[in-house]
Amino acid sequence: MTPPLDELLGNSHVLSLPMRTKFRGITTREVMLFRGPAGWGEFSPFTEYDDQESSAWLRAGIEAAWDGPPAPYRERVRVNATVPAVTADEVPAILARYPGVDTAKVKVAEKGQTLADDIARVRAVRALVPRVRVDANGGWTVEQAVAALTALIEDGPLEYAEQPCASVPELVEVRTRLPGVRIAADESIRRAEDPLRVVRAGGADVAVLKVAPLGGMRALLELAGELGEYGVPVVVSSALDSAVGIASGLAAAAAIPKLEFACGLGTGSLFVSDVCPSQEMVDGTLAGGAVEPDPARLAALAAPADRVEWWHDRVRRCHPLVKPAK
């Protein structure tokens, strides 16, 4: 059941989280948090997303705050480091924020950069972390993807290449032409009418799942089960969430019976400041469990009044579009 609009807005905070490095084209991440009977939820679709797509994010936040997490299989979740599209000499400082990790996801195909930049960045990561995966966010054509991935594996294997191209047919072609590189689908699942289409078409070896875009922890678990029937393992990842959203990601990952890959839930280190102190990473893992935002941080990170009203208006539009949980 969707809670009343005034109850959502009356217990909400709109925050502006400064980032250490530009990531996904932004240097400040805006999020709305709200408190419900089961704890805290987050609503933070990226500003360019339309109301229909954003309503799934609202549903996910409501689930966290009103229903709470599913039962876990494990207490801690193995996570990967996330390396933005920085220069190679900046890589060691970024990886130092992820003690004990054995896997790193490296952003590639950044606008304004070259393949040489990507190769240098990946090479710098390889020198420090044994397992490397890359994420192009759909930024390559098929020919660019084949050329880039062929160059990137000259120094060693990739665990997988995430969303090298934007469309499902392109992913199928890249996967066919590069049988030695596993392909992971992200946008082709979370932004698709039919999230299983890319798998049925033969375009993915791995599925990257995110709680908020899929409409909640339980929706993610249901999709993970369906993907498992196709033999496709999943990686639970962050949608550049605050600590509240990360808690939902960790809860979902902890509730998956078999978790083969490190999850992309260590992105809290990308923020200069978050809504609560950073959780200690132990041997490359993070613990599940509820988080409680610090009131002083909520006040210090509060967004300007005009942005608060912008987010409130967004919730007013999305609220009627929230689909009930199955």
Side-chain angles (χ1 to χ4, degrees):
M1 177 177 163
T2 305
L5 181 61
D6 59 354
E7 190 174 346
L8 269 176
L9 295 179
N11 292 289
S12 69
H13 300 263
V14 178
L15 308 170
S16 181
L17 308 181
M19 302 183 64
R20 296 178 188 273
T21 306
K22 182 183 286 187
F23 189 83
R24 207 186 171 280
I26 60 175
T27 55
T28 301
R29 178 71 164 122
E30 289 186 341
V31 304
M32 173 184 274
L33 306 182
F34 43 79
R35 189 181 182 92
W40 287 83
E42 177 170 331
F43 175 60
S44 58
F46 295 103
T47 54
E48 68 270 21
Y49 287 7
D50 65 26
D51 294 343
Q52 189 64 56
E53 183 173 3
S54 299
S55 68
W57 297 60
L58 184 56
R59 177 184 166 191
I62 289 169
E63 178 199 43
W66 267 261
D67 299 329
Y73 282 93
R74 59 189 62 79
E75 293 183 357
R76 303 191 70 87
V77 174
R78 189 163 64 95
V79 300
N80 63 260
T82 298
V83 180
V86 296
T87 58
D89 62 343
E90 294 176 274
V91 165
I94 288 172
L95 292 178
R97 302 174 197 151
Y98 297 89
V101 299
D102 60 8
T103 306
K105 178 170 85 169
V106 186
K107 289 291 184 179
V108 293
E110 182 84 355
K111 289 182 180 179
Q113 295 191 4
T114 67
L115 176 56
D117 295 323
D118 293 339
I119 292 171
R121 185 182 313 113
V122 170
R123 187 172 290 155
V125 173
R126 285 190 194 281
L128 297 169
V129 177
R131 277 190 282 273
V132 179
R133 53 183 74 153
V134 296
D135 181 8
N137 286 119
W140 287 322
T141 65
V142 169
E143 295 303 325
Q144 288 171 333
V146 171
L149 293 174
T150 299
L152 288 168
I153 60 176
E154 286 183 1
D155 289 335
L158 293 172
E159 189 175 48
Y160 58 72
E162 182 175 331
Q163 203 71 42
C165 303
S167 73
V168 171
E170 288 173 317
L171 294 182
V172 173
E173 185 172 351
V174 172
R175 187 167 178 255
T176 301
R177 290 174 60 176
L178 289 175
V181 178
R182 280 187 288 201
I183 302 300
D186 176 6
E187 288 90 344
S188 292
I189 291 175
R190 65 180 167 87
R191 303 193 74 175
E193 289 284 332
D194 177 6
L196 292 173
R197 178 175 169 244
V198 64
V199 172
R200 294 193 192 102
D205 302 281
V206 179
V208 178
L209 305 185
K210 298 176 180 179
V211 168
L214 292 173
M217 296 170 279
R218 290 164 181 84
L220 184 151
L221 293 175
E222 180 179 354
L223 180 56
E226 293 172 342
L227 288 162
E229 294 175 6
Y230 287 87
V232 175
V234 303
V235 174
V236 181
S237 193
S238 159
L240 200 54
D241 311 303
S242 78
V244 170
I246 290 292
S248 291
L250 288 168
I256 294 174
K258 183 181 179 182
L259 202 59
E260 180 179 342
F261 294 99
C263 289
L265 296 168
T267 54
S269 68
L270 297 173
F271 298 124
V272 175
S273 182
D274 204 340
V275 297
C276 54
S278 299
Q279 184 189 149
E280 182 181 2
M281 192 174 290
V282 178
D283 295 330
T285 68
L286 292 173
V291 299
E292 185 67 28
D294 178 1
R297 291 179 181 235
L298 291 177
L301 295 168
D306 63 321
R307 298 305 298 165
V308 173
E309 189 56 32
W310 187 91
W311 280 91
H312 282 200
D313 284 343
R314 195 179 200 188
V315 171
R316 292 184 187 103
R317 297 193 308 270
C318 293
H319 187 264
L321 304 176
V322 174
K323 295 178 180 178
K326 294 181 181 179

